[in-house]
Amino acid sequence: MSDIAIQVENLSKQYRIGTKEIQHDTLMSAAVAWVKSPLENFRQLRRLSSFKNGDEADVLWALRDVSFTVKHGEVLGIIGRNGAGKSTLLKILSRITPPSSGRIMLNGRVASLLEVGTGFHPELTGRENIYLNGTILGMTRTEVEHKFDEIMNFSGVERFIDTPVKRYSSGMKVRLAFAVAAHLEPEILLVDEVLAVGDAEFQKKCLGKMSEVAQTGRTVIFVSHNMAAVNQLCERGIVLVDGELRFEGSTEQAIEKYLRDDSAIQSATIDTSQLTGRSGTGDGRILEVRLSDESGNPSTQFGIGDALTVELRGVVYEPIHRLSMGVEITTLEGLGLLNLRTDSQGIDFGPYRANDEIRFQIKVPSLPFYPNTYLVRPWIAERGGKRIDYVQEGITLTLEAKGNYLSERMIQAGRGLVILDAHWLEKPHSVS
Amino acid sequence: MNIGKTALNQTIIESPKGWQAINWRELWQYKDLFYFLVLRDIKVLYKQTILGFAWAIIRPVFSMVVFTIIFGNIAQVDSDGVPYAVFSYVALVPWTYFAAALTGSTESLIGNSGMLTKVYFPRLVFPLAPVFAKLVDFVIAFIIIIVMMIWFQIVPTINILFLPLLILLMILTALGMGMWLAALAVQYRDVKHAMSFATQLLMYAAPVVWPVSALTERFGETARLVYGLYPMAGVIEGFRAALLNTTPMPWDLIGLGTVSAVIIALSGAFYFRRMEGVFADVA
C-alpha cells in the first residue's frame, strides 16, 4: 500500500450564484414578465445544476485547480478566510457534493465531521439518537453497540439516556453528539469547524480528543478559523485564497502567510458579523471591530508599548439592563495576556432596549508584549449573567519592535511574553 | 458522483459524467443506517399524540364512512355486489399506504436537507425509508379489513395467496414514483405544493370509489387495458378480487401495472442517481 492517504488533483468546483432581478418600468412589461415567469423560473432552476457555457457572469469558482497530497498519519490544516473554499473542499472530500472537474483518490475508510449531531431527532431518546447518528456517520450497528457504554460515559448524560433529546439542554445535546463523533474510528477523518460550538470547556475537550485522534496515526484534515487549534493539532497547513491554493508547508509558515495576507487584504476595521468562531447566548452581536493607534489612525500593526484603541459596534436583540464588556488579548495559541473587563472596575452600561445599537471605545494604555502576532477578542455580557457574544476567533494584531527596542536582538518572539521598562539602579559599592 | 471502490478501501471521486448505475454494494453497506432511518420514521410518526397508532385506522375508516354515504348511498355507485363500505375500505387500505409513502418519499430529500448537506451516504436511502416505514400503518389498517370481512361474512378466495405479490407491486409503485418526485422536488419546489392535490386526483383516477367494471362497461376492453398501465388499478382491483371475490383475479391489469411500475422504478432510480450529485448544492 502506498503511503499516500489523500491525493487531490486539479480539483475545481463551480457554483451558480443568483442573477439580478430585472426591473420593469411599465405595468405592461411587468404583466408580460409575470405571464412568462414560470418559463423563466424553470430556465433558472434548471441552470442550477448545469454548467454548459463555462465562464458565465453568475458562475462562482469556489475552488480552482487545487492539488495536494496527504500522507498516511499526517494531520493537515486547511486555513483561509470565509469564502476561500475550505468548506467546499471538505464537502467534496466527504462526497457530499461532486467536483466540477479534477480527481481525488482516498486510501482508507473515510469519516467526515462537518457538524456534530447530524440527523439528531428531537423526539427520539438519547439512546436512539446514538444509534441513528452513529450509523449516519458510517458506523455499523454492531460497532455502535460495542462502543455504546463508552459513548454514554463520555457524554456524561447517562441519567437522561432514555429521555427524548428535545428535553436536553443545548449543552447536553452537543456533548452527546460529540461523544458519538469522538468514537468514530476511520482511517481518514475530515473535520470542519465543529470546535466552534459549545462553551470553552467543551471546546477544550474537543481539542483534546482531536489531538488524541491525531496521535494514533490517523490521517486528519482539519478546517478551522481557530489558528490556535490549527497550530496545536496540525503538522502541515495549506492556505486557500479565493478558491486557489496559495501556500503549502509547515503549520507555522502557513499561519504566518495567512495572517500576513489577511492583514494586507483587510483594513483595520473588521466586519465581525459573519465570523463563525464565537460563542455566547446570541442575544446580541458584535458586528464590527476597529483598531486604531494613539492618534486615531486605523492600524493592525503596533510597536511595543504603544497605546491601542478598540472600537466596537454591535446590536442587542433582547433588552439588556446592565451590560458589561471586555477585551482579551491572547497569543495565537490562546494564552491570555490581558483581560480587560468593565466589571473588574465596577463599570457597566445600559439599559438597552431590544434592537438598540451599541458602540464603545476602549483605550488600552499600553501593549507591553514581545513582538509577535496576537489576537484581540472582544466580548459583551449581561452584568452578572451569561456572555452574550464572544468573538473567540479574534482580530489579529501584530506587534513589532520599535523605538528603543528596535536594535536589541534579544527582543524576539519566544524570549518572553510581557516586556516592561524597569528602573535599574546601581547601588553604591565598595571599590577595591 | 463517480465512486469507484477497489481493494484497500480506495475511493475515487470524480465529476459525474452521464448516467450512473446503482451501486448495490454501497447500498448494502449502509443497511444499518437504513434500518435506523425506518425505525426513526416509525417511532417519530405518532409521538406526542393521544391516539397513537389508532391514527393508522382512523384515516381510512373515516374516508370509508364518507365515501359510503356519498358514493354508496347518495350517488349509488356500483360496488360489484358487495357492501359499499367493505368495497371502498379494501381499496382505501392500499391507497392510504400508497399516498402516504409517495408523499413521504417525495418530501424525504427536502425534509432531510440538514443531513443531505452535512454527511454522505447513498441518497437512495432517503426515499426508500418512508416506503418501508409506512408499511406499519398498512398492516394496522389491514386488521380492520379482517374485522369487516367477518362482520359482513365474506369468505376470501384462494387468490388471497397472491396478496403478497400485490403488496410488492404497491411498494414498487410508491418507490418508483417517489424516486422521481423526490429528485424533482429538490430542484423544483412546485412538486411539494402540488403533492396534496395530486394525490387527491390520483385517488379518483384509481378505482378506489368506483369499480373497474364500470369503466369497461362504458368505454370497452381497450380502455381497460390502457387503464391497466396505472399500477394502482391492478393493485386495488386485485385486492378486491382476492378478498371479496368481486371479479375474477384481474391478471391483465396486474400484468400491465407490473410492467409500467418496473419501468417507472428503473427510470426513477436512474434519474435519481443522475441528479444525486447536485442534491447538496440545490437543496
Side-chain angles (χ1 to χ4, degrees):
Chain A
M1 191 162 156
S2 72
D3 62 344
I4 289 172
I6 304 169
Q7 182 157 19
V8 176
E9 291 165 17
N10 308 99
L11 197 71
S12 294
K13 172 82 185 176
Q14 38 188 350
Y15 277 111
R16 197 174 283 282
I17 45 178
T19 38
K20 205 175 128 230
E21 301 252 326
I22 304 150
Q23 294 290 320
H24 298 286
D25 308 329
T26 66
L27 190 62
M28 196 56 206
S29 86
V32 170
W34 184 77
V35 172
K36 288 203 310 204
S37 66
L39 253 173
E40 184 61 24
N41 289 343
F42 177 69
R43 215 172 53 80
Q44 284 221 353
L45 288 176
R46 220 185 135 82
R47 268 155 43 99
L48 278 175
S49 56
S50 64
F51 299 91
K52 296 238 153 52
N53 319 331
D55 258 308
E56 288 168 83
D58 61 338
V59 167
L60 174 86
W61 289 83
L63 284 177
R64 203 158 198 171
D65 222 10
V66 172
S67 305
F68 61 92
T69 51
V70 186
K71 293 199 182 82
H72 277 292
E74 206 168 33
V75 183
L76 177 79
I78 300 178
I79 48 190
R81 278 150 41 84
N82 282 330
K86 305 184 299 290
S87 296
T88 305
L89 178 57
L90 215 52
K91 279 189 175 176
I92 296 174
L93 283 167
S94 9
R95 294 155 62 184
I96 291 164
T97 180
S100 303
S101 64
R103 188 171 185 272
I104 297 172
M105 191 181 70
L106 297 158
N107 285 317
R109 216 182 128 189
V110 186
S112 59
L113 206 53
L114 270 61
E115 174 188 72
V116 289
T118 308
F120 259 41
H121 200 289
E123 295 283 356
L124 296 179
T125 65
R127 181 186 303 276
E128 290 163 337
N129 269 311
I130 289 178
Y131 277 98
L132 181 62
N133 188 232
T135 46
I136 284 173
L137 292 175
M139 287 193 247
T140 64
R141 195 171 159 187
T142 3
E143 276 177 295
V144 183
E145 240 150 52
H146 280 308
K147 291 191 188 134
F148 189 84
D149 291 335
E150 242 179 287
I151 293 173
M152 192 170 63
N153 293 336
F154 189 88
S155 71
V157 297
E158 294 96 327
R159 277 183 54 209
F160 307 98
I161 202 71
D162 290 311
T163 310
V165 161
K166 65 175 175 182
R167 311 220 189 285
Y168 282 28
S169 72
S170 52
M172 282 160 70
K173 237 178 278 177
V174 170
R175 282 209 302 278
L176 182 68
F178 186 77
V180 181
H183 289 82
L184 280 174
E185 277 178 359
E187 286 147 302
I188 300 172
L189 182 64
L190 311 169
V191 190
D192 202 357
E193 299 276 2
V194 279
L195 304 174
V197 296
D199 51 26
E201 192 201 349
F202 173 74
Q203 295 195 0
K204 213 182 247 169
K205 196 169 172 182
C206 293
L207 216 58
K209 188 74 196 176
M210 286 279 307
S211 47
E212 224 180 283
V213 169
Q215 276 154 20
T216 53
R218 260 172 271 171
T219 314
V220 182
I221 288 195
F222 180 58
V223 165
S224 183
H225 277 106
N226 185 339
M227 290 306 132
V230 172
N231 198 19
Q232 190 184 329
L233 288 173
C234 307
E235 302 142 29
R236 247 165 31 94
I238 59 175
V239 181
L240 289 179
V241 179
D242 295 333
E244 287 174 47
L245 195 136
R246 188 58 64 85
F247 179 84
E248 186 177 0
S250 75
T251 315
E252 289 79 24
Q253 284 173 307
I255 292 175
E256 201 193 301
K257 176 86 185 160
Y258 165 70
L259 293 176
R260 202 178 325 118
D261 276 11
D262 205 36
S263 51
I265 297 164
Q266 291 189 345
S267 63
T269 305
I270 288 128
D271 176 6
T272 53
S273 60
Q274 300 305 318
L275 295 184
T276 46
R278 67 202 310 153
S279 60
T281 60
D283 287 344
R285 208 164 172 86
I286 297 169
L287 300 175
E288 194 183 271
V289 179
R290 192 176 124 108
L291 306 181
S292 56
D293 66 13
E294 245 161 329
S295 28
N297 299 321
S299 175
T300 57
Q301 307 217 331
F302 295 84
I304 294 171
D306 280 0
L308 162 74
T309 305
V310 182
E311 280 168 88
L312 300 185
R313 192 175 63 79
V315 62
V316 290
Y317 302 118
E318 301 290 330
I320 307 284
H321 189 56
R322 294 165 79 194
L323 186 92
S324 58
M325 57 171 304
V327 172
E328 290 176 4
I329 296 181
T330 72
T331 63
L332 288 182
E333 290 76 30
L335 176 69
L337 295 178
L338 210 55
N339 193 355
L340 305 169
R341 44 197 306 155
T342 52
D343 45 11
S344 67
Q345 290 171 259
I347 299 166
D348 56 53
F349 303 99
Y352 298 98
R353 286 163 305 165
N355 298 317
D356 271 358
E357 189 188 40
I358 48 171
R359 294 186 91 117
F360 298 105
Q361 186 186 58
I362 305 106
K363 290 201 166 180
V364 183
S366 170
L367 294 170
F369 309 123
Y370 269 65
N372 208 338
T373 307
Y374 297 96
L375 294 174
V376 179
R377 300 164 152 180
W379 55 265
I380 51 175
E382 201 156 353
R383 177 86 192 256
K386 284 191 175 167
R387 274 203 177 148
I388 296 168
D389 191 21
Y390 174 32
V391 187
Q392 256 161 315
E393 193 176 321
I395 290 114
T396 52
L397 167 158
T398 40
L399 268 193
E400 284 164 350
K402 72 173 195 186
N404 290 337
Y405 302 111
L406 194 58
S407 54
E408 290 299 334
R409 286 191 305 115
M410 292 303 133
I411 302 167
Q412 288 172 357
R415 297 224 172 210
L417 288 171
V418 179
I419 190 160
L420 291 171
D421 283 338
H423 293 283
W424 310 91
L425 194 64
E426 189 182 34
K427 292 278 220 169
H429 58 283
S430 55
V431 181
S432 59
Chain B
M1 221 171 306
N2 224 351
I3 313 288
K5 283 247 175 193
T6 57
L8 297 171
N9 272 323
Q10 192 179 68
T11 313
I12 305 286
I13 304 174
E14 279 179 323
S15 176
K17 300 268 183 292
W19 300 93
Q20 307 289 314
I22 298 164
N23 193 339
W24 295 105
R25 212 181 113 181
E26 193 189 42
L27 216 51
W28 180 247
Q29 281 174 347
Y30 281 90
K31 60 183 185 306
D32 288 344
L33 168 64
F34 176 67
Y35 169 79
F36 283 112
L37 279 178
V38 172
L39 204 65
R40 175 196 75 171
D41 282 357
I42 294 170
K43 280 187 172 163
V44 164
L45 189 58
Y46 298 117
K47 276 275 163 77
Q48 212 165 337
T49 61
I50 297 168
L51 297 172
F53 280 95
W55 278 110
I57 298 172
I58 292 168
R59 255 171 306 170
V61 165
F62 271 75
S63 301
M64 182 258 296
V65 170
V66 171
F67 290 165
T68 306
I69 296 168
I70 297 175
F71 299 109
N73 293 351
I74 300 173
Q76 299 276 326
V77 174
D78 178 44
S79 57
D80 282 344
V82 293
Y84 192 87
V86 69
F87 170 86
S88 62
Y89 190 76
V90 165
L92 273 164
V93 171
W95 179 261
T96 308
Y97 162 81
F98 174 75
L102 184 60
T103 311
S105 258
T106 304
E107 286 169 4
S108 62
L109 289 176
I110 304 171
N112 288 302
S113 66
M115 264 191 252
L116 208 61
T117 52
K118 292 294 180 201
V119 69
Y120 174 78
F121 47 82
R123 288 359 187 159
L124 264 176
V125 168
F126 286 118
L128 264 167
V131 168
F132 282 79
K134 304 291 182 201
L135 281 173
V136 175
D137 279 9
F138 173 78
V139 170
I140 295 169
F142 199 90
I143 296 168
I144 301 297
I145 294 187
I146 300 167
V147 174
M148 286 178 86
M149 285 173 66
I150 295 169
W151 177 263
F152 288 109
Q153 297 184 339
I154 297 168
V155 183
T157 68
I158 185 74
N159 288 327
I160 196 170
L161 294 175
F162 293 114
L163 220 52
L165 218 83
L166 294 173
I167 291 170
L168 274 180
L169 178 57
M170 169 183 88
I171 294 172
L172 188 69
T173 311
L175 177 63
M177 291 177 71
M179 285 187 291
W180 267 106
L181 293 176
L184 283 168
V186 179
Q187 198 161 5
Y188 309 105
R189 294 291 151 91
D190 308 80
V191 175
K192 200 177 110 188
H193 298 286
M195 250 349 247
S196 60
F197 86 86
T199 48
Q200 199 84 41
L201 293 182
L202 281 174
M203 188 196 79
Y204 287 108
V208 175
V209 297
W210 48 275
V212 175
S213 60
L215 181 108
T216 322
E217 254 169 51
R218 201 156 305 173
F219 301 106
E221 282 298 320
T222 326
R224 178 185 161 91
L225 292 184
V226 173
Y227 185 59
L229 290 172
Y230 182 19
M232 286 311 284
V235 172
I236 291 170
E237 279 292 296
F239 261 71
R240 283 191 187 128
L243 294 167
L244 310 176
N245 199 17
T246 49
T247 59
M249 205 61 179
W251 289 114
D252 53 343
L253 297 180
I254 296 167
L256 282 163
T258 307
V259 171
S260 78
V262 167
I263 292 171
I264 292 170
L266 280 179
S267 59
F270 277 105
Y271 180 70
F272 191 91
R273 286 282 293 161
R274 189 185 164 86
M275 300 307 290
E276 207 173 60
V278 300
F279 287 163
D281 295 344
V282 295

